[in-house]
Structures are given as C-alpha cells and as structure tokens.
Amino acid sequence: MAITAENLGKHFGDVEAVKSLSFHIEHGELFGFIGPDGAGKTTLFRMLTTLMLPDTGSASVLGLDVVREYKNLRNRLGYMPGRFSLYQDLSVEENLRFFATIFNTTIEENYHLIRDIYIQIEPFKKRRAGQLSGGMKQKLALCCALIHKPDVLFLDEPTTGVDAVSRKEFWEMLKDLKAQGITIVVSTPYMDEASLCDRVALIQKGTILNINTPEAIVAEYGKPLFAVKSARMYELLGALRGFSFAHSVYPFGEFVHYTDSRAEAQPEEITAYLAGQGFTDAEAHSIKANIEDSFMALMESPSGQEIP
Amino acid sequence: MKQFWGFVMKEVRHIMRDYRTLVILIGMPIIQLLLFGFAIRNEVTNADIAILDASKDYMTTEITNKLLSSGYFHLSAELASASDIEGVFRSGKAKQVVVFSQNFARDLYKNGTASVQIIGDASNPNMATILFGYTTSIIQDYQFQLAAHRGQNAVLPITPEIKMLYNPELKSVYGFVTGLVGMILLLVSALMTSIAITREKELGTMEVLLVSPLKPPQIILGKVLPYLVLSVINAVTVLLMAQFVFNIPFRGSYGLFFFEIMLYILTALSLGIFISTKAKTQQVAMMISLGALLMPTILLSGFIFPVENMPLPLQIISNVIPARWFLVTLKAIMLEGLGFEYFWKETAVLSGMAIVLIALSMKNFKVRL
C-alpha cells in the first residue's frame, strides 16, 4: 500500500476543510482526486506531503507516518504545488539544477526520468522561468518535482490554467511516469480527466463521495439518463423539472441532462411529455453517464460518503 | 554541504538578478554618507564678516589675520565707522561684525584689558551662536599665545576653559558616520533578510523547500550568508570613506572594530530572521522592518538625539534598540581609541540580544506551512 489515510481531518476555525477521510492508494497507481475548487484537495495534499498537521486521524505514505516520520518521507516524495512554485528570476536550467542539488543529486544522474519532458523545454533552458508559457511552466515544475527520483509524486491541480493541448500532453507524461513504477496522486477540478486515472476519488466539501475506477463509477449510475435539447433551453429546464418522473435535471453544455426515476423510461415518453408542454422541437436520446453525471448524482444523494 | 552551497548560490543569483536593489544596497551608504557629511552639517565655513578696526595696531591685525585664516570666515568689508555697521547687515554682506576699540594694544598692556565687540546677525540664531563661538575661541586662543610669548610677565586672564574633546572643531560628520554604519547595517541585514525569507513564503516556493531534505538551519543560514557579505562590504565602504573622504581619524583597533561590527550584523540578521518567522508577506516584513526598526534606530539610538536628553520613557525604550549599544562601542573604538574594557557591557548586551533572537527564530521557524 503506497498511501493509507484513516479518518484524516483538518479544520480552519469553523470550516472543516477535510472531514475524516479514509482511503488507500496502491503502489504504482495513478490516482485522481476529482472535485471542484474548495473541495479540500489542496489541504489533503498538504497533509499527505507533511506540510500540514492533521487535526484528526492519521496517514502514512510509503509506510512512513506523515507526522512522526516527516523527515524521511520528505526525501522520498515529490510535490508539485497548485501554484507555480519555482523561482521566476532563475532560468529553466538553474531552477532544475537547484532542485537537483538540494535533493543531493544531479540532473545528469536522473536525466532518464525527465528526458521526455525536458527535451520539450530544453530549447528555452536559458530563459527565465517567469517568462515561460503556462504549459511550459508546468512541465518545468514537473521536471523539478521528479529530478530526485521520488517514489511517490503528488501533483496538486497540475493542469489548471493550462491549454487543452498541453493538458493532454501532460497526462501522456503522467502515463509514462506511471510506467516507470512511480505512484502518482493527482488532483484536478476537470471531470473529463477522471477517465485518465486508474482510480478516482470524487471529493466535495471535504468529503469523499465515491472511490472507484472511473468505469465502475460510471457504471454505478443506476438510472436511465437522457440528453434533451430544444430551442428554448431555459424554459425546457423548468418543464423537465416539473415532470412527475424527474429524478434530476441540470444543464450540460448544449443539452439538458435528464435522469428519470423509472428504470425502464424511454426517450419517446419524454418527447411526448415535452410536446404536451409546447416543446414540439424537443429531442431526447438515451446516453451513457459520464463522471460529471455521476458526480452530480452523488452530490445530490443525501447519504454523502459512499465508500465501497 | 553541497546542498547548502547550492542554496547559497541560488540566493546570490537572486541578489545579482535584482540589480536595481543591489545598486541601491551598495550605493546607499556612499550617497548617505556624502549627504550627511557634506550637505547636512552643523558647522559653518566661509561666513561673511566685516571688521571695524579703530585701532589698527599690530595686535588687532594679528587677531584679524587669525580670524580670517581659520577658514570659518571670509572678510566681506572693512568698515570705517560705526554708522556703517547697520548697512552691511541690511545689505546681507556680513553675518557678523567684529569691532576693535581704539588703542587696543595700548589698553591691553596698560590696563590689562581691551574690549572687542562682536555683533551677530541673530535673525538666524543658530548661525549667530556658532559664529560667536568660533570668534571667541579664536580670540581666546590668541590671548594664550600672547601670554605664553610674554612669559612670566604675563597676567594670565582667567577664563572658563572650553575644550572640545575628540571633536575639537565640533565636526558633525564624526557623529553621522557611526550613526550611519548602525543604520545601514540594520537596513541591509534585517530588512533584506526578512524580505528574502518572506518572499519564498509569498511565492509558494517555501512549500517546495520545506518538502525537500533541506534542514531549517540550512535554509536560514543560506539566506543570511549573502547578506552578511553584503553588510561587511557596506561597513568597509563607510569606513574607507570616513578615513579618506572625511579624514576622520581611526584611533582604535581594527580587530575590535570588525568584531563589534560582526556582532551587530549578527544581531540585525537574527532580527530579520525573527521578523520573517512572524510576517506572512513581503509587505508586512517591510513595514515591520522600516516602522519598528529603522525609525527607532534613527530617532532613539543616539544617532541624532543624545539618549541622555530624552524623556525617561524614551530612554527606557531605547535600551531595546541594538544600535543604541552598538553606537557606543563604535564611537569608543573609532573616535576615542578605547579598549575592550570600556565597552564590554555594551558588547554583552548586544550578544545577549543576538542569542535570544536566534533562539526565538529557531523556535518559531515552521517546518510546516
């Protein structure tokens, strides 16, 4: 077990940022914490990386307690904070060399780990880190977090504020790193990134709503789901909410995602109901739930934590 | 050790890259010393005076020559009668008029007394007082010369003896140099280190440093070392300028001088570290350093106002200001050439402050966020 947490909790004043979380992460896993801003992801990461003391419960990373054995642990973990945390007035190369030095290693020694990432920013190695683009900054930060060959890597929202192409590249890199046996824990507010993880924990208001493989979480979505479309979207929402079989209704891009409370509901029943409400142009078709649908459903379920 | 030097090198790079700040840090002592030394001074030179010499004997000529060769005065007019006096004041041609009575030399020999009248332009009372002081001391000096010259026959005039120790010419730059050393070292050491450490917190890089195997003493010492070097450079600059630009004598031992300077820098650096353990942002660190350190150092250390002249509450407060103790030792070494036995108490107070501050900083340095 690479990481275990038992009833881990942290509060700031009256705000419970993390509420008694328990979970396990396996060696070599690419694990994602998925949740909106303010869900408690950063606080959780700071506790796991020994930067914050938990108020309740305990956690161990690589078998080392995050409170008692923090000194040993700090040698073995890599951490990339959510905010860009490199020296803006130092060049790309100087930043990397600095982090290699303070971890008692050299760039040359562990170059094989970062090669695929570093060659992309190497043309700019004399440039100051502050003048890099968002995507390149993240690549450099990842190199700096990797240069000492950590056994476990914590990445706090590494793709926030990064363009779509760079985000995709970044996840490719994480897959390569996982192939080298590094346990990777990543947090993200982007639901679509969940499917790229081995397992994910959906987190909201300091509570884990569900932990499972992305496929299983989606499969757990028990009720029939329909994407509904009409020219008058706003009125459509109200009309669907007024449908007596409606379980949940929320806008999703150009569609409204409508969940029916009957297991055997058919799209024709919905269009028929909507036509009766004056939405003659309404279209509805059955779709498979994605992570965001699951997340919305879990958020609305009163049971809260549903850990298998 | 390699980790530590890597950290120091990074710190040096930060300082070198921010060349504007570096120029200010290196240039500030030079500019301030020149300002205080040349522009803001209490003494007067080449003041315009007029002389009304009714006697014109060898004695009044000698006194006039002595006055004019002192460097303090410049003769703007020789007057023929008392009615001209008001005219030269009104036209601003003279700040002071010296009037010798008739038969000056004869009166002095015969009656043992002669009178010289000094008329000052008291519209600027400070200037008038200063000029008056110069004139009387020059005339007094002449009396002594005369008496010595005439040997036993001389009737030595009984006059209150005024002797200015260590700074016989009351040169204000002497006092400013020591005060400036205290102020600049505090500024560089405390302000810059506190900012350098809080900057890491503010930019989030402290998070990464803490997760690294670097130990807190390595982080702190790595931050402090470059500023220590910078402070010593500043101290040497001021010392060299004091000697070669202002011709201030250095009477004491250089070894002691550097020992006391290092002790003071250490105290100031630990103050800076202590501030950084409390302040969360660079702005807070700067406000604390400037408001709570620099102002009291200038006003309460004895740099500008003598501590003895302050009201009692301020005197008590001044005890916690490191510069107050440092200035005493620095003056003792530089200007008076005294040995360690004269300022071991001040040295002990400074050492105590440094130890307490370092202990507090170590205790307050957070290994977590």
Side-chain angles (χ1 to χ4, degrees), chain B residues 14-24:
Chain B
H14 283 320
I15 296 173
M16 302 298 265
R17 298 276 150 94
D18 190 4
Y19 65 91
R20 283 190 200 88
T21 311
L22 186 66
V23 167
I24 291 172

Side-chain angles (χ1 to χ4, degrees), chain A residues 46 49-53 66-67 70 74-75 77 79 81 83-87 89-91 94 98-99 101-106 128, chain B residues 2-3 5-8 10 13-15 17-18 199-214 223 367-369:
Chain A
R46 284 178 171 173
T49 52
T50 78
L51 280 169
M52 257 182 198
L53 292 172
V66 294
V67 178
Y70 75 94
R74 285 179 179 184
N75 283 317
L77 63 81
Y79 173 45
R83 208 154 42 120
F84 180 66
S85 296
L86 299 176
Y87 298 101
D89 55 341
L90 297 190
S91 73
E94 284 164 346
F98 170 69
F99 283 102
T101 313
I102 63 169
F103 277 97
N104 252 332
T105 180
T106 57
R128 300 215 176 152
Chain B
K2 213 184 113 218
Q3 289 166 287
W5 287 114
F7 192 86
V8 172
K10 180 210 73 144
R13 285 207 178 96
H14 283 320
I15 296 173
R17 298 276 150 94
D18 190 4
R199 184 172 50 205
E200 301 255 2
K201 285 195 206 176
E202 210 178 313
L203 295 179
T205 43
M206 194 54 115
E207 242 175 293
V208 188
L209 289 184
L210 287 177
V211 181
S212 79
L214 276 179
K223 283 273 170 199
V367 292
R368 296 191 167 82
L369 284 181

Side-chain angles (χ1 to χ4, degrees), chain B residues 220-268:
Chain B
I220 290 179
L221 280 179
K223 283 273 170 199
V224 158
L225 199 64
Y227 290 104
L228 184 80
V229 173
L230 211 54
S231 303
V232 173
I233 292 176
N234 277 338
V236 172
T237 312
V238 175
L239 180 71
L240 288 178
M241 284 187 64
Q243 289 209 50
F244 296 108
V245 180
F246 296 102
N247 298 317
I248 297 172
F250 190 96
R251 299 199 171 93
S253 113
Y254 285 97
L256 267 179
F257 174 80
F258 276 104
F259 169 76
E260 294 291 341
I261 287 228
M262 292 305 277
L263 182 64
Y264 180 68
I265 293 175
L266 190 71
T267 316

Side-chain angles (χ1 to χ4, degrees), chain B residues 284-315:
Chain B
V284 174
M286 194 149 93
M287 290 316 288
I288 296 177
S289 301
L290 290 180
L293 291 183
L294 197 61
M295 287 309 286
T297 297
I298 293 174
L299 298 175
L300 297 179
S301 68
F303 172 20
I304 292 180
F305 309 112
V307 176
E308 303 80 49
N309 295 357
M310 292 174 193
L312 190 66
L314 287 183
Q315 284 196 32

